[in-house]
């Protein structure tokens, strides 16, 4: 039978917008000293809006966007949705792609059949047109991804693209590059908005003496700009999905009792690893299934309520 106090605690939790999946974790919550938040979709709305597009050489902005939308065709990432939507709004015809590949935590890659977009064959116009035509006939690879994808592929953006990215980063916007045949031909700046509730969520945890960290696959610039605005103590940026749980383990090894709050597939191992795994209710199924507690109202302020509720319930038990 379920002890009475635990039953009360669970129904109180339900009333406060939480679904408790693991009672032992719920009991531990009162002793938490560190809460790690995923950034995108947890502290921010996750809905990316396209702010600016730039291209190199003779590349046309719409052609670069159409290629990007083609490569993003199969991706469920918010960035992919934003790019497809922009192509749609601009009425662009998006070429067919084959061999779509998701590069987890970095971007996407696909092969574009060149006869669909002869005007945008890599190499552009001019002296290189002969090579461009022959490579175009076989189709070419189009990739879209963040700075970490460029580093991974060891591709350097042009100074112009780099300046565009620096300026966007300074404004707290993320940048993804569009690569055609392994050349960075354009970049897209995207802005995400911090959720209003995140400010109060972090203040409340600080008032309890809990330190707050951010864990994200996103770029250092963007991560620090969001963290500074929110008053977050520690930032782990440019962390690949497979390394997110390592960061939790490091904190635990330092003696911290750690909660992780996340929404994405890439947060699942970190949610499992943490002492208290907390999923945003509207997050992916994998995240919800890996969590000890689910925030049904999708409200990050409920993390502080959870700590408070845990303290209140389990004090009574002793
Ligand atoms: P987070 O950890 O903030 O939830 P992700 O791990 O999903 O972010 O992605 C990390 C970074 O990888 C993104 O900021 C972006 O630069 C790049 N990226 C991931 N998926 C895509 C995609 N489908 N298209 C373009 N860029 C992507
Ligand atoms: Mg996320």
């Amino acid at each position: 039978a379920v002890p009475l106090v635990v039953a009360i605690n669970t129904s109180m939790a339900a009333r406060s917008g939480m679904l408790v999946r693991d009672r032992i974790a719920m009991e531990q919550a009162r002793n938490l000293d560190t809460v790690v938040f995923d950034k995108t979709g947890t502290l921010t709305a996750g809905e990316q809006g396209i702010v600016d597009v730039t291209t190199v050489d003779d590349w046309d902005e719409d052609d670069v966007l159409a290629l990007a939308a083609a490569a993003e065709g199969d991706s469920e990432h918010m960035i992919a949705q934003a790019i497809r939507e922009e192509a749609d709004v601009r009425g662009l015809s998006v070429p067919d792609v084959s061999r779509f590949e998701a590069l987890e935590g970095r971007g996407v890659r696909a092969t574009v059949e060149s006869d669909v977009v002869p005007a945008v064959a890599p190499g552009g116009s001019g002296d290189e047109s002969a090579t461009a035509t022959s490579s175009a006939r076989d189709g070419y690879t189009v990739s879209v991804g963040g700075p970490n994808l460029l580093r991974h592929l060891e591709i350097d953006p042009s100074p112009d693209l780099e300046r565009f990215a620096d300026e966007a980063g300074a404004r707290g916007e993320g940048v993804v590059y569009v690569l055609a045949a392994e050349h960075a031909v354009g970049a897209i700046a995207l802005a995400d908005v911090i959720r209003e509730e995140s400010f109060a969520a972090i203040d409340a945890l600080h008032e309890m003496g809990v330190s707050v960290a951010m864990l994200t696959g996103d770029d250092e610039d963007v991560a620090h700009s969001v963290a500074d605005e929110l008053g977050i103590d520690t930032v782990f940026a440019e962390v690949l999905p497979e390394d997110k749980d390592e960061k939790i383990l490091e904190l635990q090894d330092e003696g911290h009792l750690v909660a992780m709050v996340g929404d994405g597939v890439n947060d699942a191992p970190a949610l499992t690893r943490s002492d208290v795994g907390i999923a945003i209710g509207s997050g992916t199924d994998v995240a919800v299934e890996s969590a000890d507690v689910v925030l049904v109202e999708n409200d990050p302020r409920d993390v502080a309520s959870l700590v408070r509720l845990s303290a209140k319930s389990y004090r009574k038990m002793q």
Side-chain angles (χ1 to χ4, degrees):
V2 181
L4 184 61
V5 178
V6 171
I8 290 167
N9 162 38
T10 310
S11 68
M12 268 165 64
R15 247 179 287 131
S16 324
M18 294 165 223
L19 174 70
V20 179
R21 301 182 75 245
D22 185 308
R23 290 204 208 91
I24 295 169
M26 185 66 195
E27 179 179 355
Q28 289 206 317
R30 68 198 162 131
N31 297 320
L32 284 173
D33 64 16
T34 308
V35 175
V36 182
F37 285 93
D38 162 61
K39 178 177 75 69
T40 317
T42 300
L43 292 173
T44 71
E47 286 154 21
Q48 312 266 341
I50 290 183
V51 181
D52 204 359
V53 183
T54 191
T55 69
V56 301
D57 305 333
D58 297 331
W59 283 82
D60 178 72
E61 201 175 280
D62 283 352
D63 287 342
V64 167
L65 264 173
L67 283 181
E72 294 279 15
D74 266 13
S75 170
E76 281 169 32
H77 205 279
M78 288 294 191
I79 293 177
Q81 291 179 26
I83 291 174
R84 288 198 301 263
E85 206 174 286
E86 182 71 15
D88 197 45
V89 167
R90 295 192 187 200
L92 308 179
S93 81
V94 174
D96 287 331
V97 295
S98 56
R99 278 175 283 169
F100 172 84
E101 208 185 326
L103 312 163
E104 259 331 302
R106 293 194 174 102
V108 289
R109 177 165 40 219
T111 303
V112 175
E113 300 313 326
S114 59
D115 53 333
V116 191
V117 275
V120 294
S125 52
D127 356 317
E128 285 170 276
S129 58
T131 21
T133 313
S134 69
S135 78
R137 206 171 295 130
D138 310 324
Y140 51 91
T141 308
V142 174
S143 316
V144 186
N148 56 356
L149 177 70
L150 288 202
R151 278 195 292 276
H152 179 68
L153 298 174
E154 296 179 1
I155 292 172
D156 289 323
S158 71
D160 283 349
L161 289 186
E162 216 157 341
R163 195 170 332 112
F164 176 85
D166 286 347
E167 285 166 9
R171 294 191 301 262
E173 297 159 12
V175 164
V176 294
Y177 295 91
V178 184
L179 312 180
E182 315 290 321
H183 290 286
V185 297
I188 302 169
L190 301 121
D192 189 1
V193 291
I194 296 176
R195 303 172 58 167
E196 206 45 60
E197 303 85 3
S198 299
F199 292 91
I202 284 150
D203 288 348
L205 289 168
H206 278 158
E207 274 163 35
M208 296 173 168
V210 174
S211 92
V212 180
M214 176 198 280
L215 179 55
T216 179
D218 211 343
D219 207 50
E220 293 278 358
D221 282 350
V222 183
H224 280 281
S225 138
V226 173
D228 287 351
E229 212 166 318
L230 285 170
I232 286 176
D233 310 297
T234 314
V235 178
F236 303 108
E238 299 179 15
V239 182
L240 289 174
E242 63 267 28
D243 297 333
K244 278 192 168 183
D245 61 328
E246 275 299 311
K247 296 292 172 197
I248 304 293
L249 191 62
E250 279 171 31
L251 290 167
Q252 289 169 329
D253 284 347
E254 289 166 14
H256 297 291
L257 196 76
V258 184
M260 167 76 199
V261 192
D263 72 315
V265 182
N266 55 1
D267 300 319
L271 289 169
T272 309
R273 176 80 72 183
S274 61
D275 299 289
V276 186
I278 305 169
I280 299 290
S282 62
T284 58
D285 293 348
V286 190
V288 167
E289 277 153 27
S290 308
D292 302 309
V293 182
V294 183
L295 304 184
V296 181
E297 311 284 346
N298 309 317
D299 190 336
R301 287 176 300 187
D302 288 340
V303 175
S305 314
L306 186 157
V307 177
R308 241 179 265 121
L309 185 60
S310 171
K312 204 162 131 193
S313 311
Y314 290 95
R315 209 168 31 235
K316 268 191 260 171
M317 267 176 102
Q318 286 158 358

